[in-house]
Amino acid sequence: MGVGQSTEHMGHTGTPEHLSQVLAERFATKCFTPLELTHFKDNFFSRAIDQGGIKYWNEKILSDFLGIPDSSDSHCPLDAGPVIFRMVSYLGAFPFQNTLAPSVLTFEAMVKVAVLLTERYGKVLRRARKDRIKLLFGSLADVGRRDVGGPRGEEDVHKETDDSSAAKSRVTGFEIDAPANDDYEDEDEDDDDLALAALESLDAIDVFKHDSRIDKKVYEARISVATFRRLLMLLIVIAPLKSLESVKTYTSDLNEARMESVRTEADTILAAFSIEDSDGGIGYQSFANITSTALPYLFDPLTPLFEHLLFSKNLDLTQKSGSDATVTDTIEKPPDGPRSSPSTIMLSGSFESTILKSSVVSHLSFFLSSSTANVNLLRGNMRLHPVFSTAAHGSSLTSFSHNVLTWNAGTLLLLEGVVSESSEQGEGMITLGAYLPQPWKSAPLSHSPTKPSDSSALPCLFELSPKHQLLQGNPAPSVQKPNAPVAYFSTSTGIAIGCQIPPPSRSQHLKPMPLGAGSLTIDASLESATFYVSSIGHNGVFLPPATTRSPSEQTVKRQIDIFTLEIWGLVPEPSDASSAEPRQSAVELQRAKWEFEAREAERRRNLNLKAGAGDSAMEGARWLLETAGLIGDRPGRGGGSI
């Protein structure tokens, strides 16, 4: 029994259409401020089409208002307008997708869309992001859609609005939202009152769950690869978008080179969903698993995009109190000020990155959080300062230790190379990285027992291409051992991330060993690396990746010839945007340390340990320098670790 059927005995006021309208009214008053609602109304009604007394938006109005390119825009190779319109038409029917989707984009429908896509759903979704993922999947799934009575597109919406009574009638909707498991309806004796109870408490997700119970039809539904790729390309392009910033800032200069980079990143993300095993599309389980764990911030760009609905440039708020707001201009204008781009996250320094293209920065923002807040890298107060690059500083561990071990903050390691022929998966370009939120010269990573799930303090190991995968840091206190630091540096064995460090030996230099689900080792010449990933193992620094793997891929070990190795320092942006002093102070302090290290190195070169001194004096001087950690690789010191 569906919600519409269970409430028919209540009369007209119990129909899904009426309940949906009441819910939208509650959303508007509970989730928006009066000022935001005023702007929202002006944006909607000043552009709405009026047919038969029904005011609504069509695809062109929606795309033009948001600045989303579609096939009619010959100047932009993106064509995401139809995808966004499809998503909005589905979400506008919340929580009755079974009976009302796809929805006519009336004011009430757009209110619900804005609540769901601007992350104001905390008051209406009990499980917040998890339920949002379910809604987003339904809005994108276009395989298995019902064709009863022919396809229902924008033309059908227009025809419906010619007659107000037709606009209020029920529609067939999507097959994945059909009520199911009706054999178990007797288990819920209160189903008939569920919709009204949910409306009273604003716990609308219960209505949604009742209207679209998941059964095998949901698991058989698929998001087509073409649809998802178009959305991914849009998300990559607008990832740096800020509230009220014009989308055209990022879509107006998409030349072929930029588009090729965007397509590459989109394909590496698509590869994470194991499309080759998904019957031509992306299933719900894969979608929910990857987006919730390996790409937790993937849909974040939709928030500032739809926040445009809450600000109208038509309203002149400078008028005197008590006067009516007037429409002064209906043309969208880009915000004043300098043009921004993803590259602004990178501060100037000793080198320019050959890895961090703008599309790669967008990719990173889909899963990396700011160390100061649980928001993605681009939305948080974080900047990247160039610390070390083999292209600029050479493949020298001395240069690495001078630049990296003196950086007194977290770092981002990026590695680009080619998989060698001797590796299990053959040749091919690969890009890897590690997010290390603590300085290299600190004690092994530890976590407060009161905040074991604080993801902003956890490191991670990741692969950007050819297939996105993420190995999150293990929050279990039991894995935090002195012989298993997050990152380790030694002049004899090189760099080790996520490895078990053998005890010191005077007779030989034992190499670090992989531990748990993943590790990365880089040899002392900084010319080759070994990337180890396992789908099992919870006793190491990193947890197994969420990416689905076949039994033959439970453990993958790849030897890599390094082209470029880069280390970027994490620099918090000042909380006061008008003042950059805290950030400048951190960078200046670091530069002072580097200058001091350079002077000390010069002094050590001029120190003649043999001049006028015996062997004992020379050994004493060397012992003093080694004790200070300035030269050598004494057992137990290793050079540095996290």
Side-chain angles (χ1 to χ4, degrees):
M1 180 181 295
V3 171
Q5 294 171 320
S6 65
T7 57
E8 281 180 353
H9 68 278
M10 300 176 189
H12 178 70
T13 58
T15 64
E17 291 86 350
H18 176 75
L19 293 178
S20 180
Q21 183 176 357
V22 172
L23 189 62
E25 293 172 356
R26 301 281 181 91
F27 283 10
T29 56
K30 295 292 184 180
C31 300
F32 301 138
T33 66
L35 183 59
E36 288 175 334
L37 192 54
T38 299
H39 280 263
F40 196 162
K41 288 180 178 178
D42 181 77
N43 277 326
F44 180 84
F45 290 110
S46 64
R47 295 169 174 82
I49 297 173
D50 188 343
Q51 290 188 8
I54 302 296
K55 293 187 177 181
Y56 69 97
W57 279 16
N58 60 16
E59 180 180 332
K60 179 171 177 32
I61 294 175
L62 179 69
S63 297
D64 289 347
F65 175 78
L66 296 177
I68 300 299
D70 55 24
S71 57
S72 64
D73 190 347
S74 59
H75 301 289
C76 183
L78 289 176
D79 184 18
V83 179
I84 295 297
F85 180 73
R86 173 187 172 79
M87 294 177 67
V88 169
S89 298
Y90 180 92
L91 297 175
F94 176 81
F96 302 105
Q97 290 88 343
N98 170 41
T99 50
L100 300 181
S103 170
V104 179
L105 297 188
T106 61
F107 176 74
E108 289 76 15
M110 291 299 293
V111 165
K112 290 183 285 185
V113 167
V115 168
L116 295 172
L117 293 183
T118 60
E119 300 184 277
R120 295 162 186 255
Y121 46 76
K123 295 181 180 180
V124 293
L125 297 183
R126 175 180 295 171
R127 295 178 299 174
R129 279 184 177 266
K130 184 175 181 180
D131 289 316
R132 187 181 189 233
I133 289 174
K134 188 188 301 180
L135 288 167
L136 290 172
F137 176 81
S139 71
L140 290 166
D142 51 8
V143 179
R145 179 181 177 180
R146 282 186 178 176
D147 288 325
V148 179
R152 174 184 166 83
E154 185 184 337
E155 294 181 0
D156 301 302
V157 173
H158 292 174
K159 292 178 181 178
E160 248 183 30
T161 54
D162 291 336
D163 186 348
S164 60
S165 61
K168 296 177 181 178
S169 64
R170 298 182 189 177
V171 293
T172 301
F174 295 87
E175 184 177 5
I176 65 168
D177 298 308
N181 298 329
D182 286 344
D183 293 339
Y184 301 97
E185 63 185 52
D186 293 335
E187 295 180 6
D188 295 327
E189 297 180 356
D190 297 329
D191 276 353
D192 288 344
D193 298 326
L194 184 56
L196 291 180
L199 289 172
E200 289 298 328
S201 64
L202 280 182
D203 193 10
I205 191 59
D206 284 337
V207 187
F208 164 72
K209 288 167 62 179
H210 182 68
D211 188 65
S212 55
R213 297 176 188 173
I214 292 182
D215 68 344
K216 65 178 182 180
K217 291 184 179 180
V218 174
Y219 295 109
E220 290 172 357
R222 294 289 184 268
I223 300 174
S224 75
V225 175
T227 296
F228 199 46
R229 180 183 282 110
R230 288 158 74 184
L231 178 62
L232 284 176
M233 291 174 66
L234 174 67
L235 295 176
I236 291 169
V237 169
I238 68 170
L241 185 68
K242 297 177 176 59
S243 295
L244 307 183
E245 190 176 21
S246 174
V247 175
K248 293 182 179 179
T249 300
Y250 302 98
T251 60
S252 60
D253 61 347
L254 294 176
N255 53 41
E256 185 54 38
R258 172 89 167 103
M259 284 303 301
E260 183 60 32
S261 176
V262 171
R263 292 188 194 99
T264 299
E265 296 306 314
D267 287 341
T268 63
I269 294 174
L270 276 170
F273 293 87
S274 301
I275 299 172
E276 65 277 4
D277 302 325
S278 62
D279 224 8
I282 301 170
Y284 174 75
Q285 290 285 19
S286 177
F287 180 84
N289 186 29
I290 299 300
T291 56
S292 61
T293 56
L295 295 162
Y297 307 116
L298 178 62
F299 298 104
D300 279 12
L302 295 178
T303 297
L305 177 64
F306 280 86
E307 281 179 345
H308 284 79
L309 291 167
L310 306 179
F311 177 79
S312 173
K313 295 182 179 180
N314 298 338
L315 296 183
D316 183 4
L317 300 181
T318 62
Q319 296 186 21
K320 295 181 180 180
S321 177
S323 61
D324 295 329
T326 60
V327 176
T328 59
D329 191 1
T330 59
I331 301 176
E332 290 289 336
K333 296 179 180 179
D336 296 332
R339 182 191 183 101
S340 59
S341 69
S343 61
T344 56
I345 192 176
M346 293 179 283
L347 302 174
S348 60
S350 57
F351 66 90
E352 292 186 2
S353 179
T354 60
I355 301 176
L356 281 178
K357 302 179 178 67
S358 58
S359 56
V360 175
V361 173
S362 297
H363 188 167
L364 290 171
S365 73
F366 294 156
F367 63 93
L368 289 184
S369 64
S370 169
S371 61
T372 57
N374 191 23
V375 294
N376 77 54
L377 201 63
L378 288 173
R379 294 176 69 181
N381 296 323
M382 185 63 63
R383 291 295 182 268
L384 300 177
H385 187 275
V387 173
F388 173 80
S389 169
T390 52
H393 300 99
S395 300
S396 166
L397 281 181
T398 301
S399 180
F400 179 91
S401 62
H402 164 66
N403 289 280
V404 179
L405 270 65
T406 56
W407 178 263
N408 193 29
T411 52
L412 176 66
L413 179 148
L414 295 171
L415 181 154
E416 189 175 66
V418 62
V419 180
S420 63
E421 294 182 0
S422 59
S423 182
E424 297 177 9
Q425 294 195 351
E427 289 184 286
M429 290 293 297
I430 188 171
T431 304
L432 307 173
Y435 176 72
L436 309 171
Q438 292 189 7
W440 283 71
K441 271 196 171 181
S442 66
L445 183 65
S446 60
H447 302 285
S448 170
T450 59
K451 296 183 179 180
S453 61
D454 184 6
S455 60
S456 63
L458 291 175
C460 67
L461 186 63
F462 55 86
E463 176 184 338
L464 291 180
S465 68
K467 179 179 182 178
H468 171 89
Q469 62 177 329
L470 175 66
L471 289 80
Q472 287 282 13
N474 195 339
S478 60
V479 303
Q480 306 304 326
K481 304 173 183 177
N483 67 335
V486 176
Y488 177 83
F489 166 82
S490 169
T491 55
S492 58
T493 60
I495 301 167
I497 298 175
C499 293
Q500 183 173 348
I501 309 303
S505 173
R506 294 182 178 273
S507 59
Q508 58 182 335
H509 292 290
L510 300 177
K511 295 183 178 180
M513 300 296 294
L515 179 66
S519 66
L520 175 66
T521 57
I522 303 173
D523 68 0
S525 66
L526 303 185
E527 294 179 351
S528 64
T530 302
F531 183 47
Y532 170 87
V533 178
S534 175
S535 59
I536 57 176
H538 290 74
N539 62 333
V541 174
F542 302 107
L543 296 173
T547 309
T548 304
R549 289 182 172 274
S550 63
S552 62
E553 293 182 312
Q554 284 191 350
T555 300
V556 177
K557 185 177 181 180
R558 283 175 282 186
Q559 305 293 334
I560 302 167
D561 296 328
I562 299 175
F563 291 168
T564 305
L565 175 66
E566 296 179 357
I567 306 292
W568 291 82
L570 306 178
V571 182
E573 184 179 284
S575 56
D576 181 4
S578 62
S579 173
E581 183 177 352
R583 185 204 303 167
Q584 292 175 349
S585 298
V587 174
E588 289 301 322
L589 180 62
Q590 191 60 49
R591 287 174 179 168
K593 287 185 179 182
W594 284 335
E595 292 174 358
F596 172 78
E597 285 287 325
R599 291 195 299 268
E600 285 298 300
E602 182 66 23
R603 185 179 66 82
R604 291 196 298 272
R605 280 195 293 269
N606 295 331
L607 181 62
N608 188 351
L609 297 177
K610 296 182 179 181
D615 291 342
S616 60
M618 181 178 66
E619 289 298 326
R622 177 171 293 278
W623 176 86
L624 181 63
L625 293 175
E626 287 179 342
T627 303
L630 300 178
I631 65 173
D633 185 18
R634 292 172 57 85
R637 297 190 61 86
S641 67
I642 295 181

